Structures are given as C-alpha cells and as structure tokens.
Amino acid sequence: MGKKDLNTGLKLGVDSKWQYSPAPESTSHINLKKKYDLFIDGKWVAPSSGKYFDTINPATEEKIADIAEANEKDVDKAVKAARKAFGPWSKLPAKERAKFIYRIARLIQERAREFSVIESLDGGKAIRESRDVDVPLAAAHFFYNAGWADKLDYAFPGKKPEAIGVAGQIIPWNFPLLMAAWKLAPALACGNTVVLKPAETTPLTALKLAELVQEAGLPDGVVNIVTGAGSTGSSIVNHNDIDKIAFTGSTGVGKIIQKSIVGTNKRATLELGGKAANIIFEDAPIDQAVEGIINGIYFNQGHVCCAGSRLFIEEPVYDQVIRKLKDRINTLIVGDPLDKNTDIGAINSKAQLKTIKDYIKIGKKEGAEFFEGSCSLPSKGFFCKPTLFTGVAQSNKIVQEEIFGPVLAVQTFRSVDEVIKKANNTPYGLSAGVWTDKGSKIFNLTSQMRAGVVWANTYNKFDPASPFGGYKESGFGREGGLHGLSAYLNLN
Ligand code: NAD
Ligand code: MN
C-alpha cells in the first residue's frame, strides 16, 4: 500500500495525523496441513468419494489447502459415530462434561494467535477483528456454556433438562470459528453430540478446532466435523437420525431446510439474514454515533447478519452526520487482512464481491447518490471500498434486500412514528440500533421494533450471556444465554 498520511480516527486509538506503515502479522508458526480429511469418530478419515476442494485466501486468490468433500455416505458415518457417542456422553456427570468444554476454551486461548491468523487467511477479515473479537469471543462461549453444564437443573426449575440427541449444525463463512463456538458449546454442555459443517470458503478454523477437540480428549464421536458445500449440508438436514438442526446462513437456504424437516421429529433453530436499521436522533452523541455507524456497517467488510446497513438520520442533524461519516470513511484502510492497521479486509469470495458490486450498480440505477472511501485497493484479491448511498427510497432494493457487504443506505426522518414504521418495513427483523440522549426514546423505540436485538448508543456488542436471534425472515430460536442452552434440551 506504500506510505500514506492518514487520519486514523478513533478505531485505532489515534486521533491525530499518523504515518501509515505496513505492520503485517507474521504467518510463521502457523500450523496448517496441505490437505484436510474429515473428522469423524475421533479420527481423520478420507472422503469416500476421494474428492477434495480448494479453500483459498481471498486477499491473494491463492490456494491454502485441499479440503475433503463429504457426501451422504460420509455424513451417515458421522451421524452414526455421534449416535454411538450420545449415550455415554449424555450420561457423563455434567461436571465431567464441563471439564472437557473448559479444556477446549483454554486451548483456544493458548492458540489465540494461530487461530486469529488462520481466520484472517481463510476468510479475509482484518486481523484486528479476528484477534480482538472472533477468537476471544469463541473462547468465551466455551467458558460460559461449560459453566452451565452442571447447573441446568437450577436454570430450569421444575423441569428435567435432557439432552436432545444428535445435533446437525451448519454454519456460514462470516464468523467461521465464532459460529462453530456458538453451535458446539451449548450443544455439548447440554449433553448432545454433534455433526458440524463449516462453510466451504472458510473451513480451516473449524478443522483446527477439531484438533483441539482431540487434544482436549473428548470421547470419540462426540464432535464430528464434515466439510463440503450445500449438498453436504443437505445430507445432514435430511439424515433421518438427526434430532436437531441448528443452521446459520441465508434466508433462502433456511426456507429449504424448514421445508425438508416438515413431518419429521427434528427440532430446528434458524439464524438467517438481516437488514438492520441504525437510527440516529438529533439529540444523539453525534461523534460516538458516527463511530457506531461505521462499526455497524463496515465491521467484517459488512459480512454481518446484524450489520447496521440502513441508516436513519433525523433531519436537523442530517448534514452534520453525513459530513462526519464521509470524513471518517475516508480514513478507513482497506487492504491486507493480516496487516494490523487494516480496517476492512478482503471480501470473502469472488461470488460475494460480484453480489456486492451488482447491488452497487442497482443502487446507482435506482437513482441514489453514491459515495465511496478515498482509499486505494490492493491489485490482487477481492476488495471493496466502504460505500454510502444517500437519497434512497424505502422501496429501493438496496434498502429492502440484504447485501452482506460494505454498503450503507441512508434515509432521513422527522418523527419517531415515521422512523419506527420505516425501520420495521423490511422482511427481516434481526437487530437495530438507536442513538439518542433520551432514555424514554430508547424504551419507546425498543418496545416497538420488530428486532431480536436492539442496541442503544452502541452497536455490534456481543456477549455469550445475551440471547441473539431474529423475528420474521431473520429466523427463529435464540442463541446465547440460557435461551441458547434451552434450544439443545428437552425440557419436560
Ligand atoms: P448460505 O445459506 O448460502 O450458506 C450457509 C451454510 O449453509 C453453508 O455452510 C452452506 O454450505 C450451507 N448450505 C448451502 N445450501 C444448503 C442446503 N441446501 N442445505 C443445507 N445446507 C446448505 O449462506 P452464506 O452465504 O454462507 O451466509 C450468508 C448469509 O448468512 C447471510 O444471509 C447472513 O445474513 C446469514 N447469516 C446469519 C447469521 C445470524 O446469526 N442470523 C449469522 C451469519 C450469517
Ligand atoms: Mn478460504
């Protein structure tokens, strides 16, 4: 990227002119195999078809490793292993089960650097995010859920919490390790066994997690990791000895899964897409709000289901907020995910970059006014500048549809009623943000928003104790907190 004079703003904790110089994280001591088999029944086994696919580094377009493609037969093997392991695992004294889960948590902490680097290599996210958010939060989920394992009788008084059985878990590519932790930790704490499938573009940290599962000494078959694309996921969903499906991904696939489990005894939780409204009132702490809006939409390249992708600005502060937003966007550094200065890493895949670019074209065609950051982009890899559309209408595609990229659509409003109506007017209902100095406005708004999570004067705050999940086409069920555990229990 060369030397550049940039005002880095708050994100890096530097607020004056600062000389940019590359600070790439070293990739030495990162233990990666050239080829990954399937992790079934505590062993690494070759896929029965003999087929492997590439996982690439989206910042360089270079191949990292060969990944086994699991077919129906392999999934069946994994489900059988999980079924065999279920009896002994679920009958293990809960505090013994907890010890294994604590061990996984501690091993993630010990390998935090390695996990962060691999997460950024495989998926493209900025190392600062992998290091400060994804990896510590993944460990925190294992710690939190381990703590509940032997307290479930107290958590659900009058009930007899029982593990459900074999859980089939399918996760997306935007938070590969963190999503694996969200899925595995509560399932294991409740005494279930698991067949988990990571996304095809980001399988590496889940496979590294399988190594930790081995190292932590979990009994064979309790955790099985199978890799592959949609058809592997479909084999999990349609296997007749799966008791519960936990899916995080697109609304389209969520609907397919819902249809395929009709008439079966499978339970399901679906965490799907979103199109969150971030609402800023004239009495808001404006500078803080601008930081929150930036974080809300550009965090993880905008590949975030709860991304604050629609911004509503109360009219009197519109000019001021837009000016500050544009200034701040111009300070953002897009580039090498392994560089510690990078704010916005690589778009996860070529296909996703195309989707984003298509939406930007649509937005322009729909007549919205386009703005993008002044940074330069690397010559190789999949990158997109932080962008902003103003003058958009409620019916515009870029307002109604999830883009899953660094694209913010801005509207104005004059009254609370108006903004609530508009904010609720999409098919989704996952999250929202509100920025104001008035507590009463916060309460009024949160009670009327059809959103599973509403942040006030902050955004993208996650905690293992907080339930997360959606309304409407954002899915159903909650992950995190006791809600998340109850999704893996029969509570009779
Ligand atoms: P996707 O639905 O295409 O894929 C998600 C996972 O499902 C992948 O592992 C994929 O291989 C698998 N899959 C694909 N087709 C399948 C099928 N027919 N049956 C079973 N499994 C199948 O979504 P994506 O592009 O990977 O992720 C982006 C989407 O995920 C966005 O819409 C985003 O909002 C959503 N998401 C939601 C949350 C949440 O918590 N609500 C979190 C992250 C991502
Ligand atoms: Mn990859």
Side-chain angles (χ1 to χ4, degrees):
M1 191 183 277
K3 287 206 168 178
K4 231 179 176 182
D5 209 19
L6 288 165
N7 178 355
T8 60
L10 293 178
K11 239 186 157 180
L12 287 165
V14 184
D15 58 4
S16 57
K17 291 277 178 191
W18 161 82
Q19 192 70 20
Y20 175 82
S21 59
E25 176 76 47
S26 157
T27 53
S28 61
H29 310 299
I30 300 305
N31 235 322
L32 273 177
K33 294 187 283 189
K34 286 257 171 293
K35 181 166 145 183
Y36 281 90
D37 284 322
L38 307 167
F39 185 66
I40 297 176
D41 208 10
K43 292 162 225 34
W44 294 94
V45 298
S48 56
S49 67
K51 283 190 194 157
Y52 291 81
F53 61 95
D54 297 351
T55 189
I56 66 157
N57 174 346
T60 61
E61 303 177 50
E62 281 159 15
K63 173 175 167 178
I64 307 175
D66 283 308
I67 308 293
E69 188 182 309
N71 63 16
E72 222 176 311
K73 260 195 203 157
D74 302 309
V75 168
D76 183 54
K77 229 188 264 173
V79 175
K80 286 204 170 99
R83 177 59 61 194
K84 192 179 64 177
F86 174 63
W89 177 249
S90 60
K91 289 190 191 82
L92 207 63
K95 66 173 193 288
E96 297 302 318
R97 252 192 345 257
K99 282 184 196 166
F100 288 110
I101 306 168
Y102 278 124
R103 249 178 247 159
I104 297 174
R106 281 196 300 268
L107 285 169
I108 294 175
Q109 288 184 321
E110 279 173 25
R111 312 280 160 78
R113 186 176 161 275
E114 188 178 17
F115 269 94
S116 307
V117 172
I118 294 173
E119 198 71 315
S120 288
L121 277 174
D122 200 15
K125 69 174 68 204
I127 188 76
R128 234 160 2 101
E129 292 181 3
S130 310
R131 189 192 60 202
D132 295 349
V133 182
D134 297 64
V135 175
L137 207 46
H141 271 272
F142 282 102
F143 277 118
Y144 176 83
N145 284 285
W148 274 119
D150 61 355
K151 301 168 193 73
L152 295 171
D153 289 334
Y154 298 94
F156 302 103
K159 309 263 186 204
K160 195 183 164 296
E162 245 176 17
I164 296 176
V166 177
Q169 306 183 320
I170 299 168
I171 57 175
W173 41 259
N174 57 346
F175 294 94
L177 177 68
L178 184 56
M179 287 299 120
W182 278 33
K183 297 278 182 280
L184 286 172
L188 298 178
C190 294
N192 302 276
T193 57
V194 168
V195 176
L196 176 131
K197 189 194 89 64
E200 52 272 38
T201 58
T202 54
L204 289 176
T205 43
L207 291 163
K208 291 300 287 184
L209 196 56
E211 293 177 1
L212 298 196
V213 164
Q214 257 181 327
E215 216 176 310
L218 271 81
D220 292 349
V222 170
V223 174
N224 304 276
I225 311 275
V226 294
T227 41
S231 70
T232 309
S234 173
S235 299
I236 295 175
V237 171
N238 293 307
H239 195 290
N240 59 19
D241 203 27
I242 292 265
D243 300 296
K244 145 111 193 172
I245 298 290
F247 172 78
T248 299
S250 61
T251 296
V253 174
K255 284 183 179 172
I256 295 174
I257 292 177
Q258 236 178 326
K259 277 188 197 139
S260 15
I261 63 172
V262 170
T264 72
N265 293 321
K266 287 170 193 156
R267 277 172 59 178
T269 39
L270 304 175
E271 301 280 356
L272 310 175
K275 192 75 188 176
N278 216 345
I279 300 166
I280 165 163
F281 286 96
E282 71 166 319
D283 59 13
I286 299 287
D287 289 337
Q288 191 187 328
V290 166
E291 284 310 305
I293 290 156
I294 294 279
N295 173 284
I297 182 62
Y298 304 125
F299 176 64
N300 199 28
Q301 298 79 246
H303 303 327
V304 183
C305 48
C306 54
S309 50
R310 290 181 298 148
L311 174 62
F312 291 93
I313 308 174
E314 197 167 17
E315 271 187 6
V317 288
Y318 177 79
D319 291 340
Q320 184 195 355
V321 171
I322 290 295
R323 184 167 29 83
K324 289 193 166 181
L325 262 180
K326 288 181 175 173
D327 285 351
R328 186 65 179 90
I329 286 170
N330 281 334
T331 69
L332 295 175
I333 301 169
V334 183
D336 179 5
L338 288 185
D339 191 316
K340 291 164 198 153
N341 300 311
T342 293
D343 295 299
I344 301 179
I347 298 300
N348 185 266
S349 65
K350 197 174 191 170
Q352 187 58 28
L353 182 60
K354 181 176 184 313
T355 303
I356 296 166
K357 286 192 166 161
D358 286 348
Y359 271 112
I360 291 175
K361 272 188 212 146
I362 291 169
K364 289 176 179 170
K365 232 191 223 154
E366 285 177 324
E369 197 180 310
F370 179 71
F371 173 85
E372 63 182 2
S374 59
C375 59
S376 56
L377 296 185
S379 52
K380 256 197 316 188
F382 314 132
F383 290 93
C384 180
K385 293 181 181 181
T387 71
L388 175 79
F389 276 106
T390 48
V392 300
Q394 185 67 21
S395 59
N396 286 172
K397 266 202 161 128
I398 57 165
V399 171
Q400 290 294 323
E401 296 178 14
E402 183 181 50
I403 300 173
F404 227 56
V407 183
L408 179 62
V410 187
Q411 293 173 271
T412 60
F413 69 94
R414 287 182 181 170
S415 73
V416 175
D417 286 349
E418 179 196 351
V419 77
I420 288 172
K421 240 185 236 147
K422 283 185 172 167
N424 281 333
N425 179 17
T426 76
Y428 297 109
L430 190 56
S431 60
V434 51
W435 302 84
T436 169
D437 205 24
K438 271 224 162 77
S440 57
K441 262 189 212 157
I442 294 173
F443 287 116
N444 179 17
L445 219 103
T446 48
S447 64
Q448 296 191 65
M449 290 297 298
R450 296 285 289 161
V453 182
V454 185
W455 285 292
N457 295 333
T458 186
Y459 207 88
N460 277 339
K461 282 275 183 290
F462 302 99
D463 188 284
S466 309
F468 184 89
Y471 287 95
K472 302 194 285 187
E473 294 207 350
S474 292
F476 49 78
R478 294 290 181 268
E479 292 188 308
L482 271 182
H483 298 65
L485 286 144
S486 68
Y488 288 97
L489 290 169
N490 286 318
L491 290 168
N492 299 311

